[in-house]
């Protein structure tokens, strides 16, 4: 779980920096104390929730893949595999966000990469005996 939170911190760091920079140089529509509360407390909790929900969603997709391939894997194993398989797609997303590249293809690329990695990881496990 700590591993996932560190990854999410890294992926959200460019956005948090940009938000803070825009707040400092731009018009301040909200008070400073409310901004700091949102940035330090609400934003990390939202990121953590979205990360757990995202990993669970992708682990669910991996569970369906596992069922079609008839492999011996529990959801807990798939959840951990998904969390570790997210490393490369998250790093790719960090680079794309830092370069401020926006395109549908660039948003879909990490998703495809994650599921290719999960597919390769699932194929390593033995099939169920019938």
């Amino acid at each position: 779980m700590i591993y996932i939170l560190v990854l999410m911190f890294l992926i959200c760091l460019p956005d948090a920096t940009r938000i803070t920079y825009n707040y400092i140089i731009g018009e301040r529509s909200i008070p400073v104390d409310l901004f700091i509360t949102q940035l330090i407390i609400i934003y990390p909790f939202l990121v953590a929730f979205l990360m757990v929900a995202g990993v669970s969603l992708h682990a669910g997709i991996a569970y369906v893949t596992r069922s079609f391939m008839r492999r011996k894997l529990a959801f807990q194993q798939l959840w951990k595999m998904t969390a570790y398989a997210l490393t490369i797609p998250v790093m790719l997303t960090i680079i794309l966000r830092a370069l401020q590249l926006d395109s549908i293809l660039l948003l879909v690329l990490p998703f495809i990469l994650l599921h290719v990695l999960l597919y390769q990881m699932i194929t390593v496990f033995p099939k169920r005996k019938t």
Side-chain angles (χ1 to χ4, degrees):
M1 186 69 174
I2 300 296
Y3 179 75
I4 296 170
L5 293 176
V6 169
L7 281 178
M8 282 316 297
F9 173 74
L10 290 176
I11 200 169
C12 293
L13 194 60
D15 289 335
T17 306
R18 192 175 354 210
I19 290 168
T20 305
Y21 177 74
N22 289 338
Y23 182 79
I24 291 171
I25 66 166
E27 266 185 53
R28 296 181 178 160
S29 59
I30 60 172
V32 176
D33 57 344
L34 180 61
F35 176 75
I36 292 172
T37 303
Q38 288 177 345
L39 190 64
I40 294 175
I41 297 172
I42 297 172
Y43 190 62
F45 281 118
L46 177 66
V47 167
F49 170 74
L50 292 176
M51 187 61 189
V52 170
V55 170
S56 297
L57 175 71
H58 289 293
I61 294 170
Y63 190 80
V64 171
T65 304
R66 175 213 56 111
S67 298
F68 285 129
M69 296 174 66
R70 296 186 183 99
R71 303 293 175 165
K72 292 191 240 181
L73 288 165
F75 185 78
Q76 295 85 352
Q77 292 170 315
L78 289 168
W79 201 93
K80 289 176 187 175
M81 288 168 54
T82 303
Y84 287 112
L86 272 170
T87 304
I88 295 172
V90 164
M91 294 302 166
L92 180 63
T93 304
I94 290 169
I95 293 168
L96 295 175
R97 281 188 171 196
L99 297 175
Q100 295 183 355
L101 298 174
D102 290 328
S103 170
I104 291 295
L105 180 62
L106 296 176
L107 295 174
V108 174
L109 184 64
F111 178 80
I112 293 170
L113 181 60
L114 170 66
H115 288 284
V116 166
L117 289 171
L118 282 173
Y119 178 79
Q120 290 175 344
M121 292 168 78
I122 290 171
T123 57
V124 171
F125 284 84
K127 288 187 176 184
R128 284 188 217 149
K129 294 181 182 178
T130 56

